[in-house]
C-alpha cells in the first residue's frame, strides 16, 4: 500500500513539475509583466474591485457574478503584501497615488500570479479526479497533461477572469460527489456531499456557466447502485432527509439574498444590455 502511494505521488509530482514549467515559460517571456495593459478589461476591473473589497468599499462591479474571484483575489493581495510582493494592498492608497495607471500594473501582475495558482490547482485536481475514475496513476498523469496544455486552461494565465476559478470549484465538486458514492460509511458519504455542494455553490458564485452542475451532480448517484444512502434503513433514510431539509432551511435566507442579487441584477442587466 505504501509503495503504491509513493508511486502515485511520483506521477502527481511529475504532472505538477510540467505545470510549473508551463507557468515559468509563459511568465519568463521578455517584457511580459511590463505590458500589464494588454487585458485592461477585465484585469483592471477585477484588480480595483478586489482592492475596494479589502477596504470595505462597494466595488460597483458585478460580472457573472464574479464575487468569488473578487474576494479571493483581494485576500491574495493581502497575503502578497505580507510577504513583500505588493507595497500596499489598499484601494485608498492606490487612488491617492500620483500615477494610478502605472501603479495598477503592480496589482495586475500580482493577479496573474493568482491565476497561475488556480491553473496549478486545476491540474492537481484533474490528476486526482482521473485517478479516482480509472484507478490508474498513468491515466491521471495523461489527464493532467492534457489539462495543463489545454488552451482553455492556459489562456487564463494571461488574464484575470472567473472562468478558471469556476472550473476549479466545479471539478472539485464533481470529484467529491464521485468520492461520496464510493464511500463505505454514510457519515463519510454525507461529508463528501456537503463538500461537493459547497464547491458547487462557490463555482456558481464565480461564473453562471456552472449552472449545469445543478443537473449533473444528482445524476452521479445513478452511476453506482450500492451507495451508503441505499444501504440505510427506511427509518435512517427519513432521519437523514429531515436533517438535510433542516440544513437547507437554515441556509435559505443566505441563498435568497444571493439569488436576489444574482438573478435580478446580473442576468437582468445582461439581458437589458443585449
Amino acid at each position: 500500500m505504501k509503495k503504491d502511494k509513493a508511486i502515485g505521488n511520483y506521477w502527481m509530482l511529475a504532472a505538477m513539475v510540467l505545470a510549473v514549467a508551463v507557468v515559468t515559460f509563459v511568465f519568463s517571456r521578455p517584457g511580459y509583466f511590463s505590458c500589464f495593459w494588454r487585458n485592461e478589461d477585465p484585469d483592471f476591473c477585477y484588480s480595483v474591485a478586489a482592492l475596494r473589497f479589502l477596504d470595505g468599499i462597494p466595488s460597483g462591479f458585478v460580472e457573472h457574478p464574479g464575487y468569488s474571484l473578487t474576494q479571493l483575489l483581494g485576500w491574495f493581495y493581502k497575503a502578497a503584501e505580507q510577504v513583500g510582493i505588493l507595497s500596499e494592498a489598499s484601494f485608498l492608497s492606490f487612488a491617492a497615488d500620483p500615477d494610478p495607471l502605472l501603479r495598477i500594473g503592480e496589482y495586475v501582475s500580482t493577479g496573474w500570479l493568482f491565476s497561475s495558482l488556480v491553473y496549478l490547482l486545476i491540474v492537481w485536481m484533474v490528476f486526482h479526479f482521473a485517478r479516482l475514475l480509472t484507478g490508474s496513476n498513468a491515466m491521471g498523469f495523461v489527464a493532467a497533461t492534457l489539462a495543463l496544455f489545454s488552451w482553455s486552461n492556459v489562456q487564463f494565465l494571461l488574464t484575470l477572469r472567473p472562468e478558471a476559478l469556476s472550473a476549479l470549484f466545479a471539478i472539485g465538486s464533481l470529484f467529491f460527489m464521485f468520492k461520496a458514492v464510493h464511500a463505505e460509511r454514510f457519515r463519510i458519504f454525507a461529508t463528501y456531499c456537503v463538500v461537493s455542494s459547497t464547491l458547487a455553490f462557490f463555482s456558481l458564485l464565480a461564473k453562471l456557466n456552472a449552472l449545469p452542475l445543478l443537473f449533473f451532480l444528482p445524476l452521479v448517484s445513478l452511476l453506482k447502485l450500492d451507495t451508503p444512502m441505499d444501504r440505510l434503513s427506511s427509518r435512517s433514510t427519513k432521519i437523514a432527509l429531515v436533517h438535510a431539509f433542516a440544513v437547507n432551511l437554515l441556509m435559505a435566507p443566505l441563498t435568497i439574498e444571493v439569488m436576489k442579487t444574482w438573478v435580478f441584477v446580473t442576468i437582468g442587466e445582461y439581458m437589458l444590455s443585449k
Side-chain angles (χ1 to χ4, degrees), residues 115 118-119 122 152-153 156-157 161-170:
S115 297
V118 173
Y119 168 86
I122 287 176
S152 61
N153 194 17
F156 293 114
L157 286 172
R161 292 300 298 269
E163 283 88 345
L165 186 63
S166 180
L168 173 63
F169 288 137

Side-chain angles (χ1 to χ4, degrees), residues 157-237:
L157 286 172
L158 314 176
T159 183
L160 287 171
R161 292 300 298 269
E163 283 88 345
L165 186 63
S166 180
L168 173 63
F169 288 137
I171 295 169
S173 178
L174 286 170
F175 172 73
F176 280 102
M177 185 55 71
F178 272 88
K179 284 183 70 70
V181 298
H182 287 87
E184 295 295 329
R185 293 182 294 175
F186 177 77
R187 181 169 295 180
I188 298 176
F189 169 82
T191 300
Y192 284 152
C193 284
V194 170
V195 173
S196 175
S197 59
T198 302
L199 290 173
F201 181 73
F202 285 129
S203 183
L204 287 165
L205 285 181
K207 186 76 174 180
L208 293 177
N209 290 4
L211 280 170
L213 274 176
L214 300 179
F215 174 74
F216 285 119
L217 282 179
L219 294 182
V220 174
S221 62
L222 302 179
L223 300 177
K224 186 175 174 61
L225 298 178
D226 187 26
T227 68
M229 193 73 180
D230 297 318
R231 295 192 292 269
L232 287 180
S233 65
S234 177
R235 180 174 180 274
S236 297
T237 301

